[in-house]
Structures are given as structure tokens and as C-alpha cells.
Amino acid sequence: MLLVEFADFRCRYCRKAAPMVERVLATYPDTVRLAFIHFPVVSPDSGRAAIAAEAAREQNRFWAMHDALYTLQGRPLRETDVRNAAASLGLQLDRFSQDLRNPALVARVQADQDQARALGISATPSFAVNGRLVVGAVSYETLTALIEAELAATRGERS
């Protein structure tokens, strides 16, 4: 089963949702896969944060940068902050700096944003479970109820 999260690293509700998403994944370790979709809409820093996460992905450190970017909320996001986070994660800084300006990564973030808009996403965080969309912040209970309903549907049960 696929859980899709549409999020913005500058969104305080997304930061608050991150532990809940981890809890969901821990509850369904063999059942639920997570796809993170960038929807950088909160501030001008949002796009820069998304590209930084993608630059970290190029070195297999997306989730570590994901967590680091959420800790940088509450103040303007400077390139030095992003570089310091990258250094603390052990990334190759020259490569990371080049990737921050990589047009392919910019296009990847733009494609995520376009996908979210095409689906009618208007708030972060938003989630989709097997294509069933829930726009806005939701509780653990709400998300797991949706997952359980989808699991029941795949087993042919009535929910």
C-alpha cells in the first residue's frame, strides 16, 4: 500500500506530522510504503529547502536532510544553514553545492509541485492512501483508519 505525503519543509504542520508519519510506518512496516512529494508553497525558502533535500538524496541522505530541514524552521533559510546541515550529515559538500544548482533537481521539485496542484492539493501536509486523498493535517487515528479501510478493501471486506 502506498502512503503519499505532500509536504513543505517550511510548514510547521508538516514538521508536527513527521513523527506521526514515522509512527504509521512503524505500525505497518511490511504493508505501507511512503512517497514524499514536495509541495513548496509556504515561503520562498520552501523551494530551496526542497532542492536541498533532493541534493541530499543524490548522496542517499534524503531522510536525514528531511529531519535536519525541519529543525531549521522558524528563521530564514540561508545557504550557510543548508551547507552546515549537509556537513553535519557527512555529505560531500562540493557535490552537494553543485547539486543545489542542478536543473534536474529543480525540475524534480517542480514536477512534484505540479503533481500536487493537478490533484487539487491546497494545504500541507496532505496525504493520499492508495489514491484516496486527505487534504490538510490529520491525526494518526484518521490516517490509520484510512489505511485499515484500504486494507479491508484489498482483502474484499466491507469497511
Side-chain angles (χ1 to χ4, degrees):
M1 170 169 315
L2 183 61
L3 169 64
V4 180
E5 178 183 10
F6 299 88
D8 182 328
F9 291 112
R10 304 307 285 173
C11 170
R12 64 183 175 173
Y13 299 106
C14 294
R15 182 184 71 215
K16 289 179 181 179
M20 183 268 299
V21 171
E22 288 180 27
R23 185 175 166 203
V24 167
L25 295 174
T27 302
Y28 301 95
D30 299 321
T31 308
V32 175
R33 285 187 3 243
L34 176 66
F36 186 95
I37 304 294
H38 298 286
F39 192 45
V41 294
V42 171
S43 77
D45 289 340
S46 297
R48 288 189 287 278
I51 293 166
E54 289 303 313
R57 184 188 307 270
E58 294 296 303
Q59 296 183 50
N60 298 312
R61 300 292 288 162
F62 174 86
W63 292 109
M65 182 60 81
H66 166 278
D67 296 344
L69 287 166
Y70 280 138
T71 68
L72 295 174
Q73 282 187 3
R75 62 176 194 251
L77 184 65
R78 302 174 318 204
E79 187 164 337
T80 56
D81 297 325
V82 173
R83 285 182 54 77
N84 288 341
S88 73
L89 299 175
L91 298 179
Q92 297 172 353
L93 292 182
D94 288 341
R95 180 177 171 196
F96 180 78
S97 293
Q98 288 175 353
D99 284 336
L100 287 175
R101 289 156 185 74
N102 183 338
L105 299 186
V106 173
R108 186 181 303 163
V109 170
Q110 184 62 53
D112 277 5
Q113 190 169 19
D114 293 345
Q115 178 185 9
R117 284 201 169 106
L119 292 171
I121 304 295
S122 60
T124 58
S126 290
F127 300 92
V129 176
N130 277 3
R132 290 181 60 190
L133 190 61
V134 181
V135 177
V138 296
S139 68
Y140 170 82
E141 292 75 18
T142 299
L143 199 53
T144 56
L146 183 57
I147 291 168
E148 287 296 330
E150 286 298 305
L151 287 172
T154 61
R155 291 188 299 260
E157 300 171 10
R158 299 182 92 174
S159 53

